[in-house]
């Protein structure tokens, strides 16, 4: 058995303890955790190549958002969790004892903590310092990603006025299996995410040979995403700028053939490759007709992103994973749109329109795009938000955007669906914008449940 496989097996064995904070059933595993800490930088690099670190489960939010439509035939094939999320039920997980949306991020946290503790035991030579820095930066990036996935589903949207009193998530910074499970405040949760990422930016190389490995560039992109979710537009602008200074290549969609899966994995726009774990019916779901109808006939996204379904409507095919699995990483297109939004909000519509034009000329049939002309900051912001939704469809970001935009009455919206003749709605600021913590976590840890 390879060394990293041994560590991975033990880490998985300890996962339930880390999640539940329960010791009594794990007496055989309570010996010093130091015995499983990897001892060499090669061990740690192998652990950080674990495929589970590439996964995100926040695509569950797609079912509760407004980009997805599930016709009756698709809905009938959905899991209970998917159906409950789609109709905004109070109980999403229906008593499940293995909720991957919670378990997997905490497995990722455990793995990265083991690596970080292992690195602390190494005193790198001058020749090893760059690699040691990069490994620590990568572990911090992955830990921040897991924490951010968790707050996106299981904590309220960030509000500076209430974040210090709003409940966040349990923050695990050590692999100690005996540590109690306690919810941090939302402010503390975001502070930890930002701290991890800011240190990762300082430590990591600007670029990596493999797009499955994070870099300074992708960490800047991540910071821009986090600050945008916090409505801190000056910070999001600064980090999107830093990202685009390092890398700003866009794909010209005129060079892409609109086939079954038009975009290759690890394409030129990708900064960091990650994918959402497969949910049963998401690949066969339909894009909401309201969204599909916003694409101009000369907009190549209409043909590159969607294909007509024999059952009616249009399914999504334009993932940057090169497959039916949704893209969950970071790409240049998001950074242009983030920067454009921040510029519009900060009173620079001309700069915002420049970024939109840079992106959109690569999305329209050659010779058909008419450059946008700056209007007021508010008018420009409306256009940016519309293009953001059209460009980043089925990436898991719409749920994140709905949560933050609901705090602005001008952009808040009530979502509605009719399923089997019954009408369902999700108003702005509703508690159902926060998913419930799985029941088995509540019962084993006694942490408080999210109201629904």
């Amino acid at each position: 058995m390879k060394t990293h496989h041994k560590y991975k097996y033990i880490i998985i064995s300890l996962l339930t303890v880390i999640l539940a904070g329960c010791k009594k059933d794990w007496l055989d595993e309570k010996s010093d955790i130091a015995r499983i800490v990897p001892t060499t930088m090669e061990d740690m690099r192998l652990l950080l190549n674990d495929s589970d670190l590439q996964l995100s489960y926040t695509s569950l939010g797609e079912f509760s958002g407004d980009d997805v439509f599930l016709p009756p035939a698709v809905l009938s094939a959905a899991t209970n969790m998917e159906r409950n999320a789609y109709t905004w039920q109070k109980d999403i997980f229906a008593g499940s004892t293995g909720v991957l949306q919670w378990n997997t991020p905490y497995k990722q946290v455990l793995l990265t903590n083991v690596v970080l503790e292992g690195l602390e035991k190494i005193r790198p030579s001058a020749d090893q310092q760059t690699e040691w820095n990069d490994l620590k930066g990568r572990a911090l990036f992955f830990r921040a990603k897991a924490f951010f996935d968790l707050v996106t589903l299981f904590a309220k949207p960030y509000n500076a006025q209430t974040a210090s009193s709003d409940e966040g998530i349990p923050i695990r910074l050590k692999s100690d299996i005996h540590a109690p499970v306690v919810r941090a405040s939302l402010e503390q949760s975001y502070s930890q995410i930002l701290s991890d990422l800011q240190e990762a930016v300082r430590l990591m190389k600007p670029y990596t040979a493999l797009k499955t490995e994070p870099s300074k560039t992708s960490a800047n992109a991540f910071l821009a995403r986090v600050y945008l979710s916090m409505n801190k537009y000056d910070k999001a602008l600064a980090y999107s700028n830093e990202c685009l200074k390092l890398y700003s290549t866009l794909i010209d969609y005129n060079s892409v053939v609109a086939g079954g899966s038009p975009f290759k994995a690890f394409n030129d726009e990708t900064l960091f490759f990650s994918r959402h774990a497969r949910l049963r019916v998401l690949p066969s779901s339909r894009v909401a007709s309201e969204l599909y109808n916003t694409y101009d006939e000369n907009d190549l996204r209409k043909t590159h992103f969607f294909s007509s379904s024999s059952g009616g409507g249009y399914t999504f095919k334009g993932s940057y994973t090169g497959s039916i699995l949704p893209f969950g990483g970071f790409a240049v297109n998001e950074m242009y749109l983030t920067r454009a939004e921040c510029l519009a909000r900060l009173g620079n519509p001309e700069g915002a329109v420049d970024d939109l034009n840079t992106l959109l000329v690569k999305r329209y049939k050659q010779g058909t795009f008419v450059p946008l002309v700056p209007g007021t900051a508010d008018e420009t912001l409306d256009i940016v938000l519309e293009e953001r939704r059209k460009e980043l469809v089925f990436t898991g970001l719409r749920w994140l955007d709905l949560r933050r935009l609901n705090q602005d009455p001008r952009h808040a919206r009530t979502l509605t669906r009719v399923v089997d003749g019954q009408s369902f709605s999700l108003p702005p600021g509703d508690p159902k914008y926060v998913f419930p913590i799985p029941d088995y976590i509540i019962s084993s840890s006694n942490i408080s449940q999210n109201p629904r």
Side-chain angles (χ1 to χ4, degrees):
M1 177 184 293
K2 292 185 179 179
T3 301
H4 69 293
H5 288 159
K6 175 183 71 177
Y7 293 137
K8 181 178 176 182
Y9 175 80
I10 299 173
I11 288 169
I12 292 171
S13 298
L14 290 169
L15 178 61
T16 300
V17 179
I18 293 296
L19 293 177
C22 177
K23 294 181 283 186
K24 63 182 180 180
D25 296 328
W26 292 86
L27 296 178
D28 293 336
E29 298 290 351
K30 70 177 183 179
S31 59
D32 188 0
I33 192 76
R35 72 186 179 88
I36 72 160
V37 172
T39 57
T40 70
M41 289 195 289
E42 177 61 20
D43 291 340
M44 296 170 206
R45 185 168 292 281
L46 290 169
L47 278 174
L48 290 174
N49 286 335
D50 188 297
S51 60
D52 280 337
L53 287 173
Q54 305 300 324
L55 293 177
S56 171
Y57 285 84
T58 57
S59 58
L60 181 61
E62 292 282 5
F63 287 100
S64 291
D66 56 352
D67 285 352
V68 169
F69 168 66
L70 300 183
V74 175
L75 192 59
S76 66
T79 64
N80 287 336
M81 179 184 70
E82 293 168 339
R83 191 177 300 108
N84 290 339
Y86 185 68
T87 54
W88 306 305
Q89 299 300 306
K90 181 177 181 179
D91 184 3
I92 296 293
F93 303 117
S96 171
T97 57
V99 176
L100 296 178
Q101 285 73 15
W102 180 275
N103 289 4
T104 300
Y106 277 111
K107 175 186 172 184
Q108 295 166 344
V109 169
L110 173 57
L111 193 154
T112 57
N113 283 337
V114 166
V115 170
L116 290 167
E117 289 166 6
L119 285 170
E120 290 304 312
K121 297 178 181 297
I122 295 176
R123 295 295 175 261
S125 66
D127 291 341
Q128 295 174 317
Q129 190 66 57
T130 298
E131 182 183 7
W132 189 96
N133 288 350
D134 192 56
L135 288 170
K136 183 175 182 181
R138 286 177 58 189
L140 290 167
F141 177 98
F142 282 124
R143 187 169 74 179
K145 184 176 180 297
F147 285 150
F148 190 65
D149 285 354
L150 287 161
V151 296
T152 298
L153 292 183
F154 298 106
K156 289 181 179 180
Y158 185 89
N159 182 320
Q161 304 302 314
T162 61
S164 62
S165 57
D166 288 338
E167 288 193 297
I169 57 169
I171 297 294
R172 311 293 295 204
L173 302 181
K174 298 291 182 181
S175 59
D176 178 7
I177 64 174
H178 304 307
V181 178
V182 178
R183 291 186 74 169
S185 72
L186 191 60
E187 187 68 56
Q188 292 168 330
S189 301
Y190 271 87
S191 292
Q192 186 61 53
I193 292 165
L194 294 172
S195 175
D196 281 356
L197 288 174
Q198 287 159 352
E199 188 173 0
V201 165
R202 291 192 295 270
L203 290 170
M204 285 194 294
K205 303 169 188 174
Y207 313 100
T208 58
L210 300 174
K211 294 194 176 187
T212 52
E213 297 178 352
S215 65
K216 186 187 299 289
T217 307
S218 55
N220 278 317
F222 196 169
L223 279 162
R225 182 185 291 181
V226 174
Y227 276 119
L228 187 67
S229 76
M230 300 171 73
N231 303 315
K232 295 189 176 183
Y233 306 116
D234 56 340
K235 296 286 190 180
L237 174 60
Y239 283 106
S240 57
N241 264 329
E242 288 303 310
C243 176
L244 291 170
K245 283 179 187 176
L246 290 168
Y247 190 83
S248 59
T249 299
L250 288 167
I251 299 170
D252 186 344
Y253 280 15
N254 287 280
S255 67
V256 176
V257 178
S261 294
F263 302 103
K264 297 178 181 178
F266 318 117
N267 62 54
D268 288 344
E269 261 180 45
T270 301
L271 300 168
F272 169 74
F273 182 89
S274 177
R275 62 179 177 81
H276 289 284
R278 182 170 185 172
L279 295 169
R280 181 183 292 179
V281 299
L282 189 58
S284 56
S285 65
R286 309 295 193 266
V287 63
S289 57
E290 170 224 347
L291 173 58
Y292 180 80
N293 291 333
T294 62
Y295 294 88
D296 187 272
E297 288 305 311
N298 290 316
D299 189 338
L300 292 170
R301 292 174 296 189
K302 195 166 190 175
T303 53
H304 287 39
F305 285 0
F306 309 109
S307 58
S308 58
S309 170
S310 58
Y314 296 86
T315 57
F316 181 71
K317 65 175 182 178
S319 174
Y320 277 13
T321 63
S323 71
I324 61 173
L325 296 174
F327 180 72
F330 298 89
V332 173
N333 56 352
E334 180 190 350
M335 289 301 100
Y336 272 105
L337 288 161
T338 295
R339 188 167 73 177
E341 179 177 343
C342 294
L343 288 168
R345 288 185 181 276
L346 296 172
N348 184 357
E350 294 82 9
V353 166
D354 283 346
D355 276 345
L356 283 178
N357 286 336
T358 299
L359 173 69
L360 293 176
V361 73
K362 303 284 189 180
R363 301 309 192 235
Y364 275 65
K365 293 177 184 177
Q366 193 166 3
T368 66
F369 177 65
V370 179
L372 302 173
V373 177
T376 67
D378 283 345
E379 290 168 345
T380 303
L381 177 60
D382 289 342
I383 297 170
V384 172
L385 294 177
E386 181 181 18
E387 291 302 330
R388 183 177 174 87
R389 185 183 181 194
K390 289 159 67 175
E391 178 72 21
L392 303 177
V393 61
F394 280 59
T395 60
L397 292 177
R398 181 59 179 169
W399 183 243
L400 190 65
D401 284 349
L402 285 168
R403 282 163 46 94
R404 68 183 178 90
L405 292 172
N406 274 336
Q407 298 179 52
D408 178 355
R410 215 167 67 82
H411 296 109
R413 57 185 300 172
T414 295
L415 310 187
T416 59
R417 315 197 197 285
V418 177
V419 176
D420 294 332
Q422 184 176 358
S423 180
F424 300 89
S425 66
L426 184 67
D430 192 282
K432 291 176 182 176
Y433 269 102
V434 184
F435 286 87
I437 294 172
D439 290 339
Y440 61 91
I441 299 298
I442 299 296
S443 62
S444 62
S445 66
N446 293 318
I447 60 174
S448 55
Q449 180 58 279
N450 294 320
R452 290 278 289 178

